[in-house]
Amino acid sequence: MLTEAELHDLAESIKTEGQHKPIILDRDGVVLDGRNRLAACKRAGIEPRFTTYDGDNPTRLIFSNNIVRRHISKGQQAMITAMACSVSGHSLRTQAKLHDISRSRLSAANVVLQHAPDLAERVRLGTLGLDAAHDQARERKTHTEALLAQNERLQQHAPDLAEKAAEGHLTLDAAIAALDRRLEEERLRQLVRDSDALRLADRDATPALSPLAERGDITWGQAAQLAEEHLTRRHEAILRTQQALQLIAENWAAVHDLAARPDTPYTQEILDGLTPEARALVARLMARG
C-alpha cells in the first residue's frame, strides 16, 4: 500500500483527473489489483470503476501489475519477478531482460524465495532489503545443507543412531558425537591391528597389543599410543640402518682393498686400531669381498 502522503496525492489526482485505470476484481469480487486506487476513490468520494478478470492465472496478473510500479525498490521488483517466475515457470534470465533487472538481483531473490520464503514476503512488501534477506537465506541454506550432510553421514555409518535421532531419542548433535566416538575407536582398533600385523611380519618378538586391549588389560587408546610409539621407533631404526648401509656402500672400496692384501702390515695396522666388533665385521666383509 501507498504511504498516507502518496495516497492523499492519488486521491487528489483522481478528484481532478478521474480514475485512469479500473480496479480489477476476480469472479468472486475479490480485488486482484487496485487496492490503492480503491482507497483513494473512497477518500476522494469518487465512485470507483471496476472490471472483472476473466483469465485463468490471477496470480500472474497480480505480479505483472505490481512489477511495473515505479515506487517499489529494485529489490522488491526482483523479488516480485522471482515469485512470478516460480508461479508461471518463466525463465529468470528472460524476465531479467524483459524487466531490466540484473541477473544477480534475481538470483539473490530466488535464493531467498527458496530458502527463506518468510523473508521473501518481507522483501516484497518492502520491510526488509533484498541484500539483508539474501545474507540470512544463505546462512539458512548453509545450515540446512550441514544438517542434511550430518544426517546422511549417520545413515551411512550408523543407521541405529540415525533412527534414534529421527525418533527424538537423541538430538542430532548427540548422535553425531556418538558416531564420532565410534569411528575414533574403530580407527584406534585398526591402528593397533595393523601394528601387530607388522610386528609379526617383521618377526618382532614384542607381544601383540590387540589381545591386551581385547581382555581389558589396557584401553584401545593406550594400545594405540603404544602402537604409534613402536611405529616411530621402527621408522627411526630403519633410517639409522639405511644410513649405516649407505656408509658401508660409500666405503666399500676400502674393504675391497683390504681383502686384496689381507696379510700385509698395512692391513694389520688398520685392524689393530679397531674395536673387536669392527674387526669381526671387517673380517666377514673381507671374506665375502
Side-chain angles (χ1 to χ4, degrees):
M1 293 295 293
L2 298 177
T3 64
E4 277 297 314
E6 291 171 330
L7 194 60
H8 174 76
D9 291 342
L10 180 58
E12 291 300 313
S13 174
I14 290 175
K15 272 185 183 181
T16 57
E17 301 177 16
Q19 179 186 340
H20 296 300
K21 292 180 61 177
I23 298 162
I24 303 176
L25 308 176
D26 67 7
R27 295 184 182 92
D28 298 321
V30 176
V31 176
L32 295 179
D33 182 66
R35 289 184 301 160
N36 287 307
R37 293 193 295 279
L38 180 59
C41 285
K42 290 180 179 178
R43 179 171 295 201
I46 302 296
E47 184 67 25
R49 183 161 53 88
F50 298 97
T51 186
T52 301
Y53 175 69
D54 58 1
D56 59 358
N57 197 335
T59 304
R60 188 184 302 175
L61 170 73
I62 294 170
F63 285 133
S64 63
N65 283 353
N66 273 273
I67 200 66
V68 298
R69 292 179 180 168
R70 294 180 180 178
H71 68 277
I72 65 175
S73 68
K74 290 293 185 181
Q76 287 176 277
Q77 189 178 15
M79 182 55 68
I80 292 170
T81 302
M83 287 177 165
C85 288
S86 71
V87 173
S88 67
H90 290 160
S91 164
L92 285 176
R93 178 181 299 180
T94 301
Q95 296 303 306
K97 292 180 179 179
L98 182 63
H99 299 294
D100 192 26
I101 304 173
S102 72
R103 289 176 60 184
S104 62
R105 281 185 176 275
L106 269 182
S107 177
N110 198 46
V111 169
V112 176
L113 188 60
Q114 290 182 12
H115 299 283
D118 56 316
L119 301 183
E121 181 62 13
R122 291 178 59 190
V123 173
R124 185 187 72 82
L125 295 174
T127 59
L128 180 66
L130 176 59
D131 290 342
H134 184 231
D135 289 342
Q136 293 185 52
R138 284 196 305 174
E139 289 178 3
R140 292 188 191 182
K141 178 183 177 183
T142 301
H143 180 65
T144 300
E145 289 174 346
L147 292 178
L148 290 174
Q150 287 180 327
N151 188 60
E152 184 177 349
R153 183 165 171 253
L154 277 177
Q155 292 286 355
Q156 180 180 358
H157 297 288
D160 59 318
L161 295 177
E163 184 177 354
K164 289 181 180 180
E167 293 174 352
H169 300 306
L170 279 177
T171 65
L172 182 59
D173 287 344
I176 289 294
L179 171 60
D180 288 341
R181 288 193 295 271
R182 282 188 190 180
L183 294 177
E184 176 61 13
E185 181 171 332
E186 181 55 34
R187 185 189 71 81
L188 296 178
R189 286 173 180 264
Q190 192 60 49
L191 172 64
V192 174
R193 294 190 190 106
D194 290 345
S195 175
D196 285 345
L198 193 57
R199 287 174 191 259
L200 182 62
D202 287 342
R203 299 177 187 174
D204 189 324
T206 308
L209 296 169
S210 296
L212 298 177
E214 294 286 0
R215 290 197 305 265
D217 295 341
I218 58 175
T219 66
W220 282 104
Q222 292 170 329
Q225 183 176 354
L226 292 173
E228 288 178 341
E229 291 172 357
H230 167 72
L231 293 174
T232 299
R233 290 193 299 270
R234 180 179 182 275
H235 179 66
E236 291 171 349
I238 288 174
L239 290 179
R240 287 195 303 270
T241 304
Q242 287 175 336
Q243 291 169 356
L245 292 173
Q246 186 64 35
L247 285 173
I248 293 174
E250 291 171 357
N251 294 278
W252 185 253
V255 177
H256 187 70
D257 183 49
L258 293 180
R261 40 181 174 172
D263 300 323
T264 63
Y266 172 78
T267 300
Q268 190 60 49
E269 285 186 32
I270 291 175
L271 295 177
D272 289 345
L274 299 177
T275 63
E277 295 82 6
R279 283 200 301 272
L281 174 61
V282 171
R284 289 195 297 271
L285 292 176
M286 287 171 61
R288 296 182 182 183

